Amino acid sequence: MMVIDGKKTATEIRARLRGRTAALEEKYGKKVGLAVVLIGDDPASQVYVRNKVRGCEEAGIRSFAHYLPPDTTQAQAEELVRSLASDDAVHGILVQLPLPKHLDAERILACIPSSKDVDGFSAENIGKLALGEEGIVACTPLGVMELLRRYSVELRGKRAVVVGRSNIVGRPMALLFVNADATVTVCHSRTENLAEECARADILVAAVGKPNFITADMVKDGAVVVDVGINRVDGKLVGDVDFSSVSQKASLITPVPGGVGPMTIAMLLTNVVTCAERAMK
Ligand code: NAP
């Protein structure tokens, strides 16, 4: 059994981005820019935004952080995002979720043009993924694909089982596997015989949000197991996979923390640079 080192992989990816941003600056005389919009005072969101801004600095990306108060109106939020949409210095726009309850997140996100949608959440980008066309792919599933690629995991013809069908993880993950010629099963809370479905997987991805949900009896010997879950239990981070028992059966497994998590921000920064490259060309 081998443990996938997401932290090291993410560090390598982030280091390489510097070269891409520097090349754009040299060729077009412009800096790559990411606008981050944070509305309200959710402490976890503040930490995420700080990490993203720091990540931008390291990658040679200029960040424009907009902090709006909790009582921001729908019209004010939409106006800000629309102004960023037409700002040439901004190549990517990220609206940190969740938004305060009185705001309609969907309508605010709809103001982000798909060419600047670095989270890959827009209907257009998800549609492109479904059609197998080039767009921007959601960061977490994209990070999983990058880990599997770097660890030389064969997907073609293999049985991939994704547990979870959220718009930000499970669904795009399943589409990426279909596009990579895997045979794909998507499981969710209504799935019958979940353990049996999982036990058939050559590649098993857990994106459920329940600590230690995937146990050894649900895993085939030699399977590749990817744990997307981030759950806090007694102040400690644990995944959706019961690592101690499942790692005895898996051939390759991601840990939590240090697996998929660090890849998400690396792929976000990658998406920003990709959007900038497309815009400048
Ligand atoms: P979500 O929107 O809550 O979706 C959870 C999915 O799991 C749903 O599709 C749900 O099914 C399914 N599910 C729930 N209970 C189940 C059960 N008993 N059996 C089978 N399926 C079940 O969560 P998410 O946003 O996709 O996130 C999933 C996990 O990944 C969370 O722990 C989150 O913190 C983590 N996450 C990590 C990263 C990262 O950077 N590593 C990024 C995003 C999310 P239904 O559709 O039927 O309700």
Side-chain angles (χ1 to χ4, degrees), residues 33-252:
L34 171 70
V36 184
V37 178
L38 174 60
I39 308 177
D41 43 21
D42 177 55
S45 294
Q46 285 169 348
V47 173
Y48 294 143
V49 165
R50 241 195 333 268
N51 286 342
K52 287 167 187 173
V53 167
R54 197 177 309 136
C56 281
E57 274 165 29
E58 285 167 23
I61 298 169
R62 201 170 152 198
S63 61
F64 306 90
H66 295 268
Y67 300 101
L68 301 186
D71 60 356
T72 299
T73 65
Q74 183 76 25
Q76 286 168 331
E78 288 183 25
E79 194 182 306
L80 171 63
V81 176
R82 270 196 220 98
S83 75
L84 296 169
S86 58
D87 184 342
D88 285 344
V90 172
H91 302 100
I93 303 171
L94 188 153
V95 176
Q96 185 65 45
L97 300 175
L99 292 177
K101 284 198 174 56
H102 68 281
L103 294 174
D104 181 340
E106 241 166 70
R107 273 172 48 213
I108 294 169
L109 294 179
C111 299
I112 303 174
S114 62
S115 58
K116 296 189 181 185
D117 167 34
V118 285
D119 269 329
F121 292 165
S122 69
E124 190 175 330
N125 275 321
I126 293 173
K128 282 183 173 166
L129 179 61
L131 294 172
E133 291 176 9
E134 185 184 86
I136 289 292
V137 178
C139 306
T140 301
L142 190 61
V144 172
M145 292 304 274
E146 188 60 23
L147 283 178
L148 296 176
R149 193 182 67 78
R150 284 172 180 248
Y151 280 78
S152 306
V153 175
E154 177 71 75
L155 297 174
R156 178 170 300 172
K158 300 295 178 197
R159 192 175 288 276
V161 175
V162 181
V163 190
R165 56 173 166 183
S166 72
N167 290 344
I168 61 169
V169 189
R171 219 169 272 257
M173 188 76 256
L175 290 168
L176 283 163
F177 281 144
V178 170
N179 292 348
D181 296 331
T183 302
V184 185
T185 302
V186 182
C187 300
H188 44 76
S189 67
R190 305 298 165 95
T191 297
E192 291 178 1
N193 305 323
L194 179 74
E196 282 168 34
E197 295 293 346
C198 292
R200 281 210 291 268
D202 298 308
I203 298 112
L204 178 63
V205 177
V208 188
K210 291 195 185 327
N212 303 320
F213 182 76
I214 303 288
T215 46
D217 57 304
M218 300 165 84
V219 177
K220 181 164 88 174
D221 270 324
V224 173
V225 180
V226 178
D227 190 352
V228 177
I230 300 179
N231 310 289
R232 201 170 280 278
V233 177
D234 300 331
K236 264 182 66 184
L237 287 188
V238 298
D240 290 345
V241 174
D242 180 33
F243 187 87
S244 59
S245 68
V246 171
S247 58
Q248 314 277 323
K249 285 181 110 180
S251 59
L252 200 57

Side-chain angles (χ1 to χ4, degrees), residues 19-31 280:
R20 282 169 71 184
T21 53
L24 286 173
E25 217 171 321
E26 196 178 304
K27 193 163 175 195
Y28 300 100
K30 284 189 200 161
K31 260 192 151 335
M280 291 186 199

